[in-house]
Amino acid sequence: MTNRAFITGISGLILNNAEREFIRAERPWGFILFKRNIESPAQVAALVEELRSAAGVADAPVLIDQEGGRVQRLGLPHWPAYPPGASFGALYDIDPKLGLAAARLSSRLIAADLTNLGITVDCLPLADVPVAGADAVIGNRAYGTEPGKVAAIARAVTDGLEQGGVLPVLKHIPGHGRATADSHFRLPIVDTAKAELERTDFAAFQPLADLPMAMTAHVVFSALDPVHPATTSATIIEQVIRGLIGFQGLLMSDDVSMNALAGSIAERTRAIVTAGCDMVLHCNGNIDEMRAVARETPELTGKALERAKATLAARKPPQPLDRQAARAELDALLDRVGTA
């Protein structure tokens, strides 16, 4: 049976009856977890298993945003804290090899946390390149302000996740770093010239075009499409994401319920699909919105289905890890930032 081209959140710590029926009837491709879904390791592992059971798919993708810093859904006391992306950038400036090693170790440890719970996809790495005056929504989540450095650290983060058996999601393509607003609340408009975007923002994503999945940015780039944010812009998806950047993997939207997008949830969903995204992401667990997304989302077919299959096939078995030694090495590397 074919899945529909959307990823859904749920409302709480366990599936309620309405959610269970919804999953069985509408067949989402995958699921995403947030802090409201997380209480303890045993509870999260049981929830992941319950989601897959309801879907009737043993390897249904389960996603989470576990970056480190201020964006980590799994946290103390049950899971360790991880550094923000800027820490790797600061160490990279001291010694690039050490910066890359720390980035790889951190994501490898994160992957171990996730695989213990059955979570198979992390919405990481970021390739956003922030600029002075931009909104703090990216801030110290970014690895730096130079595209080559950002791409190198993002690749190291990717390597760590993949070594741990977790699929990466590249975000926020083609770039959220210049946004002067938080797209959770309103639509950011970037008026930068196309040539400068190509030199900086888009350039950070190009070396990462082989990643299996990417998440779009709810950002208007007026030099390319003055009306639509990248998520709903056929022009940007075709000419920039698929064209200039060269990304050919599974393209998922950022959350369809974010206020940067205009119209009803149904209208937003249609716009995302029409623009060329392979997958619609809905996060907030509102069952009425979930139903609206499902009604407007097609079944996975054609290239989108091929990309979805290729994504799942790209996941590798986790390699052995001495967690205690890896954490000690990561902490020792990060101590160098404080003493530099």
Side-chain angles (χ1 to χ4, degrees), residues 173-174 194 198 202-203 205-210 214 224 230 233-249 251 275-276 303 307:
I173 199 167
K194 180 182 177 184
E198 292 178 358
F202 304 163
F205 287 90
Q206 286 174 317
L208 304 163
D210 62 311
L224 297 156
S233 172
T235 298
I236 291 176
I237 290 175
E238 180 179 348
Q239 295 183 9
V240 178
I241 296 175
R242 299 297 192 194
L244 178 70
I245 291 172
F247 177 74
Q248 297 304 317
L251 185 64
K303 287 186 177 180
R307 291 171 181 140

Side-chain angles (χ1 to χ4, degrees), residues 220-294:
V220 166
F221 297 93
S222 60
L224 297 156
D225 185 336
V227 176
H228 304 99
T231 300
T232 59
S233 172
T235 298
I236 291 176
I237 290 175
E238 180 179 348
Q239 295 183 9
V240 178
I241 296 175
R242 299 297 192 194
L244 178 70
I245 291 172
F247 177 74
Q248 297 304 317
L250 187 73
L251 185 64
M252 59 186 280
S253 74
D254 204 343
D255 182 11
V256 65
S257 65
M258 287 163 62
N259 288 334
L261 301 183
S264 67
I265 292 294
E267 290 168 337
R268 298 176 189 186
T269 302
R270 286 196 296 272
I272 288 168
V273 173
T274 300
C277 285
D278 298 315
M279 196 74 59
V280 179
L281 175 66
H282 182 263
C283 295
N284 66 23
N286 180 307
I287 191 69
D288 292 330
E289 291 188 8
M290 291 158 63
R291 289 172 176 145
V293 169

Side-chain angles (χ1 to χ4, degrees), residues 83-93 139-144 149 153 334 337:
S87 297
F88 310 131
L91 184 55
Y92 184 98
D93 290 340
N140 71 354
R141 298 164 66 191
Y143 307 131
K149 170 184 169 181
I153 296 174
L334 293 172
V337 177

Side-chain angles (χ1 to χ4, degrees), residues 64-74 80-86 88 102-103 106-108 110-111 114 121-128 137-143 157 161 169-172 184 215 254 330:
I64 198 166
D65 289 283
Q66 189 75 353
E67 298 176 11
R70 57 192 162 90
V71 179
Q72 47 184 61
R73 314 306 185 197
L74 305 171
Y82 291 96
F88 310 131
S106 183
S107 61
R108 179 65 187 87
I110 287 172
L114 301 188
V121 184
D122 193 2
C123 297
L124 194 67
L126 278 74
D128 302 309
V137 64
I138 298 300
N140 71 354
R141 298 164 66 191
Y143 307 131
V157 169
L161 291 176
V169 178
L170 176 63
K171 61 188 187 186
H172 305 82
H184 290 87
M215 179 188 292
D254 204 343
L330 174 62

Side-chain angles (χ1 to χ4, degrees), residues 88-203:
F88 310 131
L91 184 55
Y92 184 98
D93 290 340
I94 298 168
D95 185 325
K97 288 184 179 179
L98 298 183
L100 297 178
R104 193 177 299 108
L105 277 168
S106 183
S107 61
R108 179 65 187 87
L109 285 160
I110 287 172
D113 295 341
L114 301 188
T115 53
N116 282 348
L117 302 169
I119 299 170
T120 50
V121 184
D122 193 2
C123 297
L124 194 67
L126 278 74
D128 302 309
V129 181
V131 297
D135 188 271
V137 64
I138 298 300
N140 71 354
R141 298 164 66 191
Y143 307 131
T145 57
E146 193 279 312
K149 170 184 169 181
V150 169
I153 296 174
R155 175 64 66 181
V157 169
T158 297
D159 290 345
L161 291 176
E162 291 180 335
Q163 289 165 11
V166 170
L167 291 167
V169 178
L170 176 63
K171 61 188 187 186
H172 305 82
I173 199 167
H176 206 301
R178 289 183 185 273
T180 55
D182 183 343
S183 54
H184 290 87
F185 305 113
R186 61 189 180 94
L187 178 62
I189 298 175
V190 171
D191 292 323
T192 305
K194 180 182 177 184
E196 179 64 10
L197 291 170
E198 292 178 358
R199 189 186 70 82
T200 55
D201 304 60
F202 304 163

